[in-house]
Structures are given as C-alpha cells and as structure tokens.
Amino acid sequence: MRFRWWRLTCSVLLLTGLATSANENPPKEYADAMKSLAIVARGLPQALDARDHEKMNDYILLARPALDVVQKYWRDRDIDHTDEANTAIRDASKSISEISVSVHLMSLSPNPLAVEGAEIALRNFQTACTTCHATHRLELPNGTYRIK
C-alpha cells in the first residue's frame, strides 16, 4: 500500500513538472528583455530606412544586454529542445554586431555596401527571432506569451 502511494505521488510530481516546464511563464527579466528586443525589431528597420545612424546605434545598445539576458536564460535551462533557441540567439547576436559595424561605416561616409550589409543583417535578425518564437513561444488568448 505504501509503495503504491509513493509511486502515485512520484508520478503526479513528474507530470506536474513536465507540464510546468512545457508551458511556463517567463521570468520578469526575460520578459523585459523580450520587450526591449521587440522595440529594436520595430524601430531598427525605420531607422535604417531613414539612415538615422544615431537612432540605429541606440537600438543596438538596447539589443545587446537584452540578448545577453535571453542567451543566459536558454543556456541555463536544464531541459532538452533548447538547441534551436541557442542557435537563434547566436544568430541574432551576430546580426546585431554586423549592424553595428554597418552603422559605423555609414556614419563615416555614404556607403551603399554598408547599407546593404545592414539590410541583410536586419533580415537575419528578424529570421532568428521568428524561428525561435515559432518553436518556443505560445501566444495565449489574452495576448500574453508563455514559453513552450
């Protein structure tokens, strides 16, 4: 009798843990980082179109610490299925670095190759975000998100 009770208790705890890890609320620091990255994703294309180097630099400075928080979160998670997230974060970080180089070059003089490089890096950044969200983000009916 005691063994069955123990087995039942362990089974319930295991299932609860799986359900929690499969669909959890993000920590506040992570949610704030994602909000910052959303600002970057919305504003950076407009700043690039306007060739507003100062604004682009502001977005880059906002993105870097946010990406660090997101990267730490996914690296520290002790579950399977995080390889796609870690790859997407590395790709997003690389894209932000490439945009930073392009911004520097554009600020020195008109440089069509730097603009093209920034456009390509921006598309890569957006693709990295979309890839990770498709795999690891669940939109709830109230418009908030949970991590899958």
Side-chain angles (χ1 to χ4, degrees):
M1 177 76 165
R2 192 178 287 175
F3 178 71
R4 275 193 261 165
W5 178 251
W6 175 250
R7 206 166 85 184
L8 177 63
T9 303
C10 287
S11 296
V12 168
L13 289 174
L14 177 65
L15 289 174
T16 303
L18 288 174
T20 302
S21 68
N23 191 12
E24 65 187 59
N25 282 324
K28 180 175 177 1
E29 184 180 32
Y30 182 90
D32 291 345
M34 284 307 212
K35 288 175 186 173
S36 293
L37 290 171
I39 291 168
V40 171
R42 279 192 308 270
L44 199 50
Q46 295 169 351
L48 178 57
D49 288 343
R51 305 298 188 262
D52 186 343
H53 310 131
E54 189 173 315
K55 195 70 167 168
M56 289 174 71
N57 197 50
D58 290 344
Y59 287 123
I60 290 164
L61 294 175
L62 180 62
R64 285 186 170 150
L67 284 167
D68 289 342
V69 168
V70 173
Q71 186 172 35
K72 181 181 182 334
Y73 173 81
W74 286 102
R75 187 180 46 233
D76 292 350
R77 278 187 93 180
D78 193 23
I79 61 170
D80 293 334
H81 323 312
T82 60
D83 288 344
E84 295 117 351
N86 288 315
T87 299
I89 295 160
R90 279 193 303 275
D91 291 347
S93 293
K94 180 179 179 232
S95 297
I96 290 296
S97 294
E98 291 168 348
I99 293 168
S100 178
V101 170
S102 294
V103 169
H104 174 71
L105 293 173
M106 287 187 288
S107 69
L108 296 175
S109 66
N111 188 331
L113 289 176
V115 172
E116 183 180 348
E119 291 169 344
I120 292 168
L122 178 60
R123 282 192 301 273
N124 292 340
F125 174 75
Q126 293 166 331
T127 299
C129 294
T130 302
T131 300
C132 191
H133 290 173
T135 307
H136 296 287
R137 184 173 78 167
L138 175 66
E139 186 171 3
L140 301 176
N142 65 1
T144 62
Y145 298 98
R146 293 194 117 175
I147 298 172
K148 294 187 209 177

